[in-house]
Amino acid sequence: MVTIPEYYEGKNVLITGATGFMGKVLLEKLMRSCPGVKAVYVLVRHKAGHAPLARIADMFNCKLFDRLRDEQPDFAEKIVAVNSDLTLPELDLSKVDQETLADCINIVFHCAATIRFNEPLKDAMLLNVLATQKMVALAHKMKHLEVFLHVSTAYANCDRTLIEEVVYPPPVDYKKLIDSLEWMDEKLVSAMTPGLIGKRPNTYTYTKAIAEYLVQQECGNLNVAIIRPSIVGASWKEPFPGWIDNFNGPSGIFIAAGKGILRTMRASNNAVADLVPVDAVINTTLAAAWYSGSQRHTRPKSILVYNCTTGSINPFHWGEVEYCINMTFKTNPLEQAFRCPNVNLRSNLLTNQYWTTVSHTLPALLYDEMMKTITRLHRAMMVLEYFTSHSWVWKNDNVTMLMNQMGADDKRTFNFDVRQLNWAEYMENYCMGTKKYVLNEAESGLPAARKHLNKLRNIRYTFNTVLVVFIWRVFIARSQMARNIWYIVVSLCFKFLSYFRASSTMKY
């Protein structure tokens, strides 16, 4: 078998969702580790008045591409921005662009999707299902296509406890659902949504499950592979540890905890936190396309599905996540923290609700802006609550098979062996990555941040002491026994101070 870089040499690649978190990392890794790739076409839409080419050029200024710029200064010449909108008929591609893609594309990476968990069902279907259907239709027109790789999610079938590397049929006929949504108004769709999604927690997981089945049903003779990552987090090693560029998923939660805003969260300490580094996902994706493409004449015709997860291989629990966050941000605090970092995970609904009121809502009443922040934070936590309170068992047989097919050099260059992942080190890099790359806080600001954190500690200790004394004095006024205990304690403290003062003035 050819190596992975050899397979991509001379190939034309098409990527959707290239401006998203995973898409950017995929583009960077492909260009850097497979320099022989002929060209990479990226489907990009106009956004906020910015043309596709301008958006791509702006994206390349991101720190993520620093290493690639150093190693291949002219890499941008291989990137072709194609104006497209996946929600419009025929992907809003011009006839010329359709013909160009049909004539030259060898590999398709379909990464585009809405990652908003509670997107209205109509919008989620439009972005996650119908866009996928259009991409499959476009792929059928490609004369030299070797592999179509679809990026799904490990939680597409989260209504099951054991999730194998197979495509499961959805609970409804997707064609009938698509037809029905065309004439239904938003209110009717909204009313029907809970019944449609059933045991799944949101429209995201529901529509991603439908998209997988659609790909299976409509791929025909296309060579298809599906990647299912779990909770995608900061980079593990590449292009450097801890890179992250958004507040999505756990990143926003980590930052809120580091700022001292998040104090309590509903989660099970013993539940597996199935975080997976983004570079491990991308390496799996590139390797899966290599395997399916290079073995397209001999491999089984069934779709290969890869559960790109960590929970069954190298489990890490939410209680350990809590510990790592608190320790990292106490040692390396964020600038202008609101309170000392001290997030606590609670599995009991009533206990968590009590501490939410005491630690979040009441302090936020003092500041209007803080109340807005807390409201957004609570919405984010409600969305994640399902995933922080449950555990799943994923089969990873295909991932293991893929790893075994790779040569020694490829295993080093495209490493996705998460058994090697040191969670404590990764979590520290992740937290520091949010500080450095999301909040743009320099390491030179650490001394001032630590000084500010010590000030917050002193304020907290003083407040707690005053509060205890106040409550105790109120209690003393009502009880003779309490007064006696109080006088004994004060007398002992006075004697200790007197002894300490006298011993410190003694000369030997």
Side-chain angles (χ1 to χ4, degrees):
M1 290 174 66
V2 296
T3 65
I4 295 178
E6 286 172 347
Y7 172 70
Y8 285 99
E9 190 168 345
K11 296 291 197 304
N12 289 307
V13 178
L14 175 66
I15 301 177
T16 69
T19 56
F21 175 49
M22 283 181 56
K24 276 188 276 199
V25 180
L26 172 63
L27 179 60
E28 191 275 342
K29 176 66 177 180
L30 175 63
M31 298 300 296
R32 179 165 51 83
S33 297
C34 304
V37 68
K38 186 175 181 181
V40 179
Y41 293 76
V42 291
L43 301 188
V44 188
R45 63 185 173 90
H46 277 83
K47 186 177 181 182
H50 296 286
L53 195 60
R55 290 184 64 194
I56 292 295
D58 185 57
M59 182 179 76
F60 289 152
N61 293 324
C62 171
K63 186 173 177 60
L64 172 70
F65 293 91
D66 284 357
R67 184 175 166 186
L68 178 59
R69 270 195 301 270
D70 291 340
E71 296 177 9
Q72 301 177 42
D74 300 326
F75 79 94
E77 294 177 3
K78 292 184 178 181
I79 312 296
V80 182
V82 180
N83 181 39
S84 174
D85 188 330
L86 272 63
T87 65
L88 298 179
E90 296 188 325
L91 305 168
D92 199 32
L93 290 169
S94 69
K95 293 297 181 184
V96 173
D97 286 336
Q98 287 185 45
E99 291 173 4
T100 300
L101 297 177
D103 288 338
C104 76
I105 295 300
N106 306 112
I107 303 161
V108 172
F109 292 104
H110 179 43
C111 305
T114 174
I115 56 171
R116 288 180 57 190
F117 283 2
N118 288 321
E119 193 87 66
L121 183 58
K122 257 193 173 182
D123 295 336
M125 286 289 292
L126 185 65
L127 292 160
N128 292 344
V129 178
L130 292 173
T132 301
Q133 189 177 42
K134 293 166 191 169
M135 282 302 302
V136 172
L138 178 64
H140 277 293
K141 298 176 184 177
M142 295 175 178
K143 302 169 186 175
H144 309 289
L145 186 66
E146 297 179 8
V147 59
F148 181 96
L149 194 138
H150 173 66
V151 178
S152 184
T153 172
Y155 297 102
N157 302 286
C158 59
D159 55 329
R160 299 170 178 268
T161 304
L162 173 65
I163 302 170
E164 299 181 90
E165 291 173 307
V166 297
V167 176
Y168 294 99
V172 296
D173 185 325
Y174 73 90
K175 293 181 180 178
K176 291 181 179 178
L177 180 60
I178 291 171
D179 292 340
S180 300
L181 291 178
E182 283 186 3
W183 60 265
M184 288 185 187
D185 61 29
E186 292 293 345
K187 286 185 179 180
L188 183 55
V189 174
S190 180
M192 290 178 58
T193 297
L196 285 170
I197 66 176
K199 293 182 179 180
R200 288 182 176 84
N202 49 50
T203 57
Y204 171 72
T205 56
Y206 179 71
T207 53
K208 292 298 279 185
I210 293 174
E212 282 190 9
Y213 188 70
L214 180 147
V215 169
Q216 184 193 56
Q217 295 299 302
E218 301 192 6
C219 67
N221 60 355
L222 295 178
N223 187 12
V224 174
I226 296 176
I227 300 290
R228 287 182 183 153
S230 49
I231 303 173
V232 183
S235 62
W236 174 17
K237 295 180 179 179
E238 293 184 278
F240 31 78
W243 184 79
I244 186 79
D245 73 339
N246 59 72
F247 290 90
N248 297 331
S251 304
I253 299 296
F254 294 174
I255 291 170
K259 287 285 188 180
I261 298 170
L262 177 63
R263 314 296 285 179
T264 183
M265 182 174 173
R266 180 109 187 274
S268 171
N269 284 282
N270 297 321
V272 174
D274 213 296
L275 294 170
V276 59
V278 64
D279 48 338
V281 177
I282 295 309
N283 286 339
T284 307
T285 302
L286 290 168
W290 155 79
Y291 178 72
S292 288
S294 60
Q295 299 292 300
R296 62 188 180 279
H297 300 303
T298 58
R299 58 169 289 273
K301 294 300 181 183
S302 59
I303 292 178
L304 280 172
V305 180
Y306 300 89
N307 285 338
C308 193
T309 60
T310 58
S312 299
I313 305 169
N314 185 1
F316 188 60
H317 302 88
W318 284 109
E320 296 171 290
V321 173
E322 171 200 296
Y323 176 80
C324 290
I325 294 170
N326 288 333
M327 290 302 296
T328 300
F329 284 129
K330 284 176 181 177
T331 308
N332 303 289
L334 300 180
E335 295 174 11
Q336 297 301 312
F338 179 67
R339 282 178 289 187
C340 294
N342 189 29
V343 63
N344 289 281
L345 305 184
R346 294 179 170 90
S347 57
N348 185 276
L349 178 62
L350 293 177
T351 304
N352 184 66
Q353 189 58 51
Y354 167 78
W355 283 109
T356 297
T357 304
V358 172
S359 301
H360 294 173
T361 308
L362 293 180
L365 291 173
L366 300 174
Y367 308 98
D368 287 340
E369 195 60 39
M370 180 60 74
M371 181 56 78
K372 294 176 184 176
T373 302
I374 288 294
T375 301
R376 288 197 298 269
L377 182 62
H378 285 174
R379 288 200 195 105
M381 288 192 299
M382 286 177 65
V383 166
L384 287 175
E385 191 174 291
Y386 178 87
F387 303 98
T388 57
S389 302
H390 293 80
S391 293
W392 292 265
V393 177
W394 281 283
K395 291 289 186 180
N396 301 96
D397 296 340
N398 286 342
V399 173
T400 302
M401 176 277 297
L402 181 63
M403 201 181 305
N404 292 335
Q405 294 291 328
M406 295 164 62
D409 289 341
D410 281 346
K411 284 181 180 179
R412 283 190 294 270
T413 306
F414 301 90
N415 183 23
F416 53 88
D417 186 358
V418 293
R419 293 173 297 183
Q420 303 171 9
L421 184 62
N422 181 307
W423 281 110
E425 180 184 350
Y426 173 72
M427 285 302 300
E428 182 177 356
N429 288 334
Y430 194 159
C431 291
M432 293 304 293
T434 62
K435 175 181 174 68
K436 187 174 181 180
Y437 305 119
V438 180
L439 300 178
N440 296 314
E441 295 182 5
E443 286 190 26
S444 59
L446 269 175
R450 289 179 180 133
K451 187 176 180 180
H452 176 69
L453 200 63
N454 285 331
K455 182 180 177 181
L456 291 176
R457 285 195 186 102
N458 293 335
I459 292 172
R460 187 185 68 185
Y461 294 150
T462 302
F463 175 79
N464 289 345
T465 302
V466 170
L467 183 63
V468 168
V469 170
F470 174 76
I471 293 173
W472 181 246
R473 289 297 294 168
V474 170
F475 181 63
I476 285 172
R478 299 174 180 272
S479 168
Q480 181 62 45
M481 182 180 291
R483 283 198 294 272
N484 292 338
I485 296 172
W486 173 258
Y487 292 139
I488 291 170
V489 171
V490 171
S491 176
L492 288 172
C493 289
F494 180 75
K495 287 179 180 179
F496 174 77
L497 290 173
S498 299
Y499 172 78
F500 181 77
R501 191 180 297 113
S503 62
S504 63
T505 57
M506 290 176 67
K507 295 181 179 180
Y508 297 94

